[in-house]
Amino acid sequence: MSAPSRPGTRTTATPTAVPRAFAAPGAFAAPGAFAEQEASTASGASTASRARAVAGASARLRTKLLLLEPEFRGATAHMWRSEGLLPRYRAYLCTMHAVIRASVPLMELALDRTRTASGDPLAGPLAAYLEEHIREEEGHDAWLLEDLRAAGGAPEDALGPLPSPLIASLVGSQYYWIEHHHPVALLGYIAVLEGYAPAPGLTGRIARHTGLPPAALRTVREHSVLDTEHLDELYALLDRLPLGRDREAAVAVSALHSLDALTRLFVRLGRSAPAPSPRGAGPVPPMGVTP
């Protein structure tokens, strides 16, 4: 799983824009598969081919996530602005470490639950996916600590403080759904972390505005490449799984909650200077960050 970021420009599957939907100022990317679908539509693809494109669970999930993308884009665009970026980048690394260090433990818990689910048609393919993805994600939390040290911080800056309630909401909800509903819900969370990963141009933007060396930017640089492939694998899995309406709804609720919580987290990170709006302050309505 990656560490979402991006100033505003992305157009491919995972780490490009918010669902990799970002580009310039927001710096996260939008799930590339959806971008491909849009390109196909623009080029005049037949009605039949477009119908097939939206028939799968992955396309329906991307469509739902589009509802929350405008808020996410605004939050990341403000967070990655050039003013005061260096201290904000260090805060970003600490925050994402608190999130990413839970990735492997979450998947291990979900894997354990799938192995004990006899007769569940989702168990086999879900377990196979989790086993492989755990291997791919191991050690990525250490990358963040190395980046933090190279950026002038210390590992204790990330390891010492109590993680915020926003992080607990983002990550902790997955533990609950895995334990008390079904581990397939975790796929919605993974879809957001992989799909709204750093945009390809974010590494250069941070370097230009902070003067940081490449050693401080490994996580953003690597995930802008890795997550696109990972997202494609996840979407393919969603389209293969015999989810049924209830399990597909669980994935969607998990994804929508994750994107909403991630947006609120980035709103807070962007507040090292006056923000363009008070989003994220006070009570937050379900499923949406509103002004």
Side-chain angles (χ1 to χ4, degrees), residues 179-261:
E179 285 281 23
H180 301 293
H181 186 63
H182 195 286
V184 77
L186 184 62
L187 298 183
Y189 174 81
I190 295 174
V192 167
L193 292 192
E194 302 282 13
Y196 294 81
L202 181 59
T203 304
R205 178 185 178 86
I206 296 171
R208 285 193 305 274
H209 292 297
T210 64
L212 289 173
L217 303 166
R218 179 183 182 183
T219 300
V220 172
R221 182 176 60 251
E222 295 288 344
H223 280 290
S224 69
V225 177
L226 292 175
D227 288 348
T228 300
E229 180 180 340
H230 291 174
L231 187 63
D232 291 342
E233 293 169 356
L234 175 59
Y235 283 162
L237 174 66
L238 287 173
D239 290 335
R240 289 196 313 270
L241 288 174
L243 289 171
R245 180 173 297 180
D246 291 346
R247 298 311 186 207
E248 185 175 339
V251 173
V253 168
S254 173
L256 289 167
H257 168 75
S258 298
L259 185 53
D260 178 58

Side-chain angles (χ1 to χ4, degrees), residues 6-152:
R6 174 179 242 164
T9 302
R10 280 202 141 181
T11 54
T12 42
T14 289
T16 33
V18 188
R20 282 240 162 187
F22 266 97
F28 268 82
F34 193 81
E36 291 171 3
Q37 179 184 330
E38 291 182 316
S40 174
T41 301
S43 65
S46 68
T47 302
S49 63
R50 291 198 301 272
R52 287 194 297 273
V54 299
S58 66
R60 289 190 291 272
L61 177 61
R62 292 193 296 272
T63 300
K64 293 180 177 72
L65 288 171
L66 285 174
L67 299 172
L68 300 185
E69 281 187 17
E71 293 288 357
F72 180 80
R73 292 179 184 180
T76 56
H78 187 67
M79 182 180 72
W80 292 118
R81 69 194 183 281
S82 58
E83 176 192 1
L85 183 54
L86 180 55
R88 202 163 52 251
Y89 176 62
R90 293 190 190 112
Y92 165 82
L93 293 174
C94 292
T95 297
M96 293 316 302
H97 178 267
V99 174
I100 300 304
R101 68 179 173 186
S103 295
V104 169
L106 276 171
M107 290 188 287
E108 289 174 337
L109 178 63
L111 177 59
D112 183 63
R113 295 298 172 268
T114 61
R115 286 171 171 167
T116 59
S118 61
D120 186 342
L122 301 180
L126 183 55
Y129 168 80
L130 291 170
E131 288 171 349
E132 179 178 359
H133 205 51
I134 286 169
R135 289 193 294 270
E136 293 171 342
E137 296 297 327
E138 285 178 333
H140 289 197
D141 54 331
W143 292 3
L144 286 153
L145 296 180
E146 293 166 2
D147 289 351
L148 181 60
R149 185 182 291 106

